[in-house]
Amino acid sequence: MPLNFHQLHIFYTVVDKGSFSAAAQALHMTQPAVTMQVQSLEDYFGTKLLHRSTKRIELTEAGRTLLPYARQSIELLREADAAMSRFTRQLKGRLQLGASLTIGEYILPRLLGPFGKEYPHISIRMKVMNTAQIMEEILNHQLDFGLVEAPVHHPDMHMEPVMSDELKLIAAASHPLAQKREVTLAEAIEYPFVLREQGSGTRLVMEEQLKSRNIDPCSLKIVMELGSTGAVKSAVEAGIGISFVSASSVKHEVALGLIKMIPLVDAVFTREFYSIHLKSALLPISAVTFLTFLRERDLKQWL
């Protein structure tokens, strides 16, 4: 008999759920049927895949070797399903995600409309929160995945870039720098700064970019630290200081002439936005479809 995808799926679910009974419930099968399919898979390979001597099953060395291939086969099938659903637009499901402040407040709202038109049967529930909160809810299985502004490092998290963004230097329309066509980074850092709080994605990226140019972030004249991009914009507009923010977040203020983006002649502050989800969890098809949608969009076209 050829290798059976259905059996791989059952094997992965047993491992993921930790028992045959829990897997049977998740797969809407009887426990004997689940056991039989795993035994058939073991017969195919001619080796044991699971130890059943304890209440919670344990992988054999052969089982540990097979597990990533089982996972990849399931993910590939989900991606194929999502790709083919574009031809029917009948994909259904509920999408639960977390987004950090800049992404959730300024970027995704402009992309959710076009996505909803392409996939009208997918409902979206988005929480806007900081990266630490997003990770906590993912780890507690309250969110399918998250979109964050800076890399995260956690042994249980899978992370990959999905979009690119650029931080821009901004100043009040009345600021001395606003009168110049372009400035150097050395000129800019002579002025007072209003920044996001320590630990925010925007702050982390800005500091890393400065360090890469041999500028110590501690040398900046920071007059105010604020907990949201909206507050930073208001402070900049009031002339309290200059700042680095995502270009997408100041679109309206620039259009109204309240804030100006100052071109830097010798620096470009680019960054990636990342998706994160549990390594042990399979993303639902709706999430795979949404992330594919984001990867295929040029942010400059929408923002």
Side-chain angles (χ1 to χ4, degrees):
M1 292 292 290
L3 184 60
N4 189 311
F5 167 78
H6 182 56
Q7 291 172 347
L8 285 175
H9 186 201
I10 292 173
F11 164 71
Y12 180 88
T13 306
V14 170
V15 176
D16 183 51
K17 298 299 181 182
S19 70
F20 285 86
S21 58
Q25 185 176 3
L27 294 167
H28 304 290
M29 297 172 63
T30 64
Q31 186 171 332
V34 170
T35 301
M36 183 182 68
Q37 291 299 329
V38 173
Q39 288 175 341
S40 295
L41 193 61
E42 291 177 325
D43 291 342
Y44 174 83
F45 288 113
T47 185
K48 287 291 183 182
L49 301 173
L50 301 169
H51 292 302
R52 303 173 176 84
S53 58
T54 59
K55 290 184 178 180
R56 182 175 177 84
I57 57 94
E58 295 179 359
L59 286 165
T60 65
E61 184 177 353
R64 286 193 297 272
T65 300
L66 179 63
L67 186 63
Y69 293 103
R71 175 192 173 94
Q72 289 172 24
S73 70
I74 297 168
E75 290 180 337
L76 183 60
L77 187 65
R78 287 175 182 268
E79 290 175 8
D81 198 354
M84 295 307 295
S85 71
R86 300 178 186 180
F87 296 98
T88 63
R89 300 291 185 243
Q90 293 302 306
L91 189 63
K92 298 179 181 180
R94 183 179 182 185
L95 190 59
Q96 299 188 102
L97 72 143
S100 55
L101 293 175
T102 296
I103 300 173
E105 290 183 352
Y106 300 107
I107 293 175
L108 286 189
R110 296 169 189 164
L111 293 169
L112 292 178
F115 179 79
K117 289 181 179 179
E118 288 196 35
Y119 301 97
H121 302 295
I122 295 180
S123 62
I124 296 176
R125 176 175 172 261
M126 180 177 72
K127 289 186 175 181
V128 180
M129 57 184 74
N130 64 39
T131 299
Q133 292 170 323
I134 291 171
M135 291 179 63
E136 182 180 356
E137 295 217 0
I138 291 174
L139 290 168
N140 291 330
H141 302 280
Q142 294 173 300
L143 294 174
D144 296 323
F145 70 100
L147 294 170
V148 297
E149 301 163 39
V152 299
H153 304 285
H154 190 286
D156 297 329
M157 287 286 180
H158 173 77
M159 177 186 73
E160 61 179 309
V162 290
M163 296 182 289
S164 296
D165 185 41
E166 185 175 345
L167 296 181
K168 292 288 190 179
L169 179 67
I170 62 168
S174 59
H175 194 278
L177 289 181
Q179 316 311 315
K180 298 187 177 185
R181 290 187 177 180
E182 57 187 19
V183 300
T184 65
L185 188 56
E187 288 179 90
I189 62 175
E190 292 299 316
Y191 289 88
F193 273 82
V194 175
L195 297 178
R196 285 287 306 277
E197 76 284 6
Q198 286 282 357
S200 75
T202 299
R203 179 73 172 264
L204 288 172
V205 170
M206 184 210 72
E207 290 180 346
E208 287 301 317
Q209 292 281 5
L210 290 176
K211 290 176 184 177
S212 71
R213 292 165 173 80
N214 298 315
I215 298 173
D216 183 358
C218 294
S219 67
L220 296 182
K221 301 172 184 176
I222 303 172
V223 296
M224 195 173 290
E225 293 180 313
L226 299 167
S228 72
T229 300
V232 169
K233 291 191 298 180
S234 295
V236 169
E237 184 183 334
I240 296 172
I242 61 176
S243 191
F244 285 102
V245 299
S246 172
S248 62
S249 67
V250 288
K251 181 177 181 180
H252 295 300
E253 290 81 1
V254 170
L256 293 171
L258 303 173
I259 286 176
K260 284 196 174 182
M261 287 192 287
I262 315 300
L264 287 172
V265 69
D266 58 350
V268 178
F269 283 31
T270 57
R271 64 173 173 177
E272 297 289 337
F273 290 149
Y274 299 88
S275 69
I276 57 173
H277 67 270
L278 279 178
K279 290 179 180 178
S280 61
L282 290 171
L283 285 175
I285 294 175
S286 56
V288 174
T289 302
F290 185 69
L291 290 172
T292 300
F293 176 88
L294 294 183
R295 291 189 193 100
E296 293 177 348
R297 264 58 191 177
D298 179 2
L299 278 184
K300 293 179 181 178
Q301 176 185 353
W302 299 95
L303 304 177

